[in-house]
């Protein structure tokens, strides 16, 4: 269930938000020639003003690869493939931070560079270390500027895009507002790529229940210079909503757009949070890594999981896909006459090999195959998140 939308509630939440995660993408922050300095400086001015009000402000900023690509192109270097992108990130990250340091210093603020890979949040120990570091910086009044460490990240350690990174940071930062600055005015009511009259599509002022949206139909492809697009922004907003955090999607290139939104101007699209958020532990568990395998369950097991809050037992599993180990994250797919649909993700107590041997069996039958050293549940309900946005 989501909280019902009202303009009054939106204004109250903006007024009282104390821990903000603000994400800006490459499409907002860069031009074909490099960094868009008027936009960057205006963003630093607005964030500095919010921080001086006593808010804890964290900026997740793309732009390093685009900035590096522009610098390398000026020297006639071609940026191609993964090594090229990682090299461009190495060139551009320093340029990006230098501009942020100067821009924030102009308003008496200090910023800090924080580069992360997914492994930094996947490991519980490193997750806590990151949390303590962010807390110290914010206690000092420093504005962390966060980016994915594209220079060293390999595919399995990547967040995918900075929308996903920003949504995951809401957890250790205990964020109570997620602001996503985009190259559009907000979320359009339909996909402009498939509309006969894209200029007439209205902007959504609010999305009350983001779970009801068909993201594939509503959203187009990814942007030319970024890796996200509206699909990833709404997927990240759906995750934030599960944590009880509202999202505000704003047109990032507009002058003083943040200041105007916090002053009460109805800009962009407000995405309501769920009324009953999931625990921060379950949020971390579900989104700290990509699912490594799939378990298909029968209708009876699906009802037990969804309607009764039960754990997943071996007897309800009909098939297993992928190779995984105990402790890996799995998708749970419900099979029925109407087709297959994902109902959640959870941490497996078994490897794929063992699970293939015991699927569909009762507890005594499992014990006969695996011995006494086995778990009653394949996925315990405490390690299961239904309706996960993956």
């Amino acid at each position: 269930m989501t909280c019902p939308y009202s303009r009054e509630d939106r204004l109250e939440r903006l007024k009282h938000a104390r821990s903000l995660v603000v994400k800006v993408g490459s499409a907002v922050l860069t031009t074909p020639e490099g960094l868009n300095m008027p936009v960057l400086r205006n963003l630093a001015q607005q964030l500095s003003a919010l921080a001086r009000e006593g808010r804890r402000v964290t900026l997740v900023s793309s732009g390093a690869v685009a900035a590096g690509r522009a610098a390398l192109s000026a020297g006639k270097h071609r940026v191609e493939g993964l090594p090229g992108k990682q090299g461009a990130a190495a060139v551009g990250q320093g340029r990006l931070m230098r501009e942020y340091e100067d821009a924030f210093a102009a308003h008496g603020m200090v910023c800090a560079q924080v580069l992360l890979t997914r492994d930094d949040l996947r490991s519980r120990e490193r997750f806590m270390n990151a949390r303590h570091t962010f807390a110290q910086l914010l206690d000092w009044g420093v504005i962390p500027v966060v980016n994915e460490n594209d220079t060293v990240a390999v595919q399995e350690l990547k967040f995918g895009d900075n929308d996903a990174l920003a949504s995951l940071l809401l957890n250790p930062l205990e964020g109570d507002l997620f602001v996503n600055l985009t190259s559009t005015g907000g979320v359009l009511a339909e996909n402009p790529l498939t509309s006969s009259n894209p200029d007439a599509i209205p902007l959504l002022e609010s999305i009350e229940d983001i779970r009801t949206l068909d993201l594939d139909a509503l959203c187009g492809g990814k942007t030319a210079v970024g890796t996200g697009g509206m699909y990833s922004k709404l997927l990240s907003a759906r995750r934030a909503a599960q944590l009880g955090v509202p999202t505000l999607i704003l047109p990032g290139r507009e002058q003083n757009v943040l200041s105007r939104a916090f002053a009460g101007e109805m800009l962009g699209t407000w995405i309501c949070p769920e009324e009953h958020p999931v625990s921060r532990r379950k949020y971390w568990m579900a989104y700290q890594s990509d699912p490594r395998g799939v378990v298909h369950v029968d209708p009876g097991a699906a009802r037990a999981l969804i309607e009764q809050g039960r754990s997943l037992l071996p007897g309800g599993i009909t098939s297993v896909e992928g190779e995984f180990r105990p402790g890996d994250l799995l998708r749970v797919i419900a099979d029925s006459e109407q087709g297959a649909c994902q109902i959640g993700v959870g941490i497996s107590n078994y490897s794929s090999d063992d699970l293939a041997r015991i699927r569909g069996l009762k507890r005594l039958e499992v014990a006969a195959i695996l011995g006494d050293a086995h778990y009653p549940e394949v996925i315990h309900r405490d390690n299961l998140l239904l309706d996960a946005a993956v």
Side-chain angles (χ1 to χ4, degrees):
M1 180 181 293
T2 57
C3 302
Y5 172 76
S6 70
R7 291 188 170 188
E8 292 75 16
D9 178 66
R10 168 175 170 166
L11 294 175
E12 278 297 302
R13 286 178 180 270
L14 286 171
K15 178 181 178 180
H16 295 292
R18 284 295 170 262
S19 180
L20 318 180
V21 176
V22 179
K23 185 264 177 179
V24 60
S26 297
V28 171
L29 204 59
T30 66
T31 69
E33 289 72 40
L35 293 173
N36 189 329
M37 291 310 303
V39 169
L40 187 148
R41 290 177 184 136
N42 185 240
L43 176 59
Q45 175 188 346
Q46 295 174 85
L47 295 179
S48 297
L50 290 170
R52 284 195 297 271
E53 294 175 358
R55 305 178 198 258
R56 298 162 75 86
V57 178
T58 299
L59 174 64
V60 178
S61 176
S62 303
V65 174
R69 183 182 288 115
L72 291 164
S73 297
K76 309 304 181 186
H77 298 290
R78 298 180 65 182
V79 176
E80 297 179 334
L82 180 59
K85 182 179 178 182
Q86 291 178 318
V91 171
Q93 185 63 35
R95 290 170 173 261
L96 181 66
M97 282 308 303
R98 182 180 66 211
E99 299 297 352
Y100 272 128
E101 287 168 1
D102 292 344
F104 281 113
H107 302 282
M109 301 298 296
V110 175
C111 66
Q113 174 179 264
V114 182
L115 298 177
L116 296 172
T117 67
R118 197 160 196 165
D119 207 37
D120 295 316
L121 301 183
R122 179 183 301 167
S123 160
R124 193 64 183 174
E125 180 179 1
R126 291 166 73 175
F127 174 93
M128 295 305 298
N129 288 339
R131 179 176 179 173
H132 295 322
T133 299
F134 278 113
Q136 181 63 82
L137 291 171
L138 294 167
D139 285 346
W140 284 337
V142 171
I143 296 179
V145 180
V146 188
N147 199 357
E148 183 161 15
N149 194 347
D150 288 311
T151 301
V152 300
V154 293
Q155 189 60 40
E156 59 268 23
L157 298 184
K158 290 181 70 65
F159 294 98
D161 55 63
N162 273 346
D163 297 311
L165 169 56
S167 69
L168 292 178
L169 284 178
L170 291 168
N171 194 1
L173 291 168
E174 298 185 357
D176 50 16
L177 178 64
F178 180 24
V179 181
N180 206 325
L181 302 176
T182 75
S183 56
T184 62
V187 182
L188 297 175
E190 59 181 279
N191 187 349
L193 298 178
T194 59
S195 173
S196 59
N197 189 7
D199 293 335
I201 300 174
L203 193 71
L204 296 174
E205 179 180 311
S206 69
I207 298 173
E208 191 160 300
D209 188 352
I210 193 169
R211 295 172 301 176
T212 64
L213 291 185
D214 183 345
L215 298 188
D216 290 320
L218 184 65
C219 304
K222 295 182 177 181
T223 57
V225 296
T227 56
M230 190 55 71
Y231 182 94
S232 70
K233 289 165 181 57
L234 290 176
L235 189 67
S236 297
R238 184 176 165 194
R239 292 179 178 181
Q242 287 184 317
L243 198 58
V245 177
T247 297
L248 180 57
I249 297 179
L250 290 173
R253 293 196 191 114
E254 288 194 20
Q255 186 79 1
N256 298 325
V257 67
L258 273 169
S259 302
R260 290 156 54 199
F262 275 86
E265 193 171 341
M266 290 294 146
L267 298 166
T269 302
W270 179 264
I271 300 171
C272 297
E274 293 189 12
E275 189 173 5
H276 302 292
V278 302
S279 70
R280 292 188 179 272
R281 179 193 167 276
K282 274 199 175 185
Y283 190 85
W284 171 82
M285 174 212 75
Y287 301 128
Q288 46 85 19
S289 61
D290 291 327
R292 300 297 299 269
V294 179
V295 290
H296 291 261
V297 302
D298 61 34
R303 285 193 299 272
L305 297 175
I306 297 170
E307 298 174 11
Q308 301 170 26
R310 300 283 184 86
S311 300
L312 177 60
L313 305 180
I317 296 175
T318 58
S319 64
V320 180
E321 298 177 22
E323 294 184 7
F324 50 86
R325 298 174 297 180
D328 281 342
L329 189 70
L330 306 181
R331 295 179 189 269
V332 181
I333 304 292
D335 293 323
S336 68
E337 294 180 357
Q338 289 73 39
C341 70
Q342 177 176 293
I343 61 174
V345 297
I347 300 294
S348 176
N349 286 327
Y350 290 96
S351 69
S352 51
D353 289 341
D354 282 345
L355 197 49
R357 297 168 63 197
I358 64 172
R359 65 177 180 85
L361 301 182
K362 293 181 169 47
R363 186 170 183 176
L364 291 178
E365 296 172 310
V366 172
I369 294 174
L370 299 181
D372 292 331
H374 68 276
Y375 291 93
E377 311 90 0
V378 174
I379 299 175
H380 193 278
R381 63 183 181 183
D382 291 342
N383 294 326
L384 175 70
L385 179 63
L386 299 175
D387 196 31
V390 296

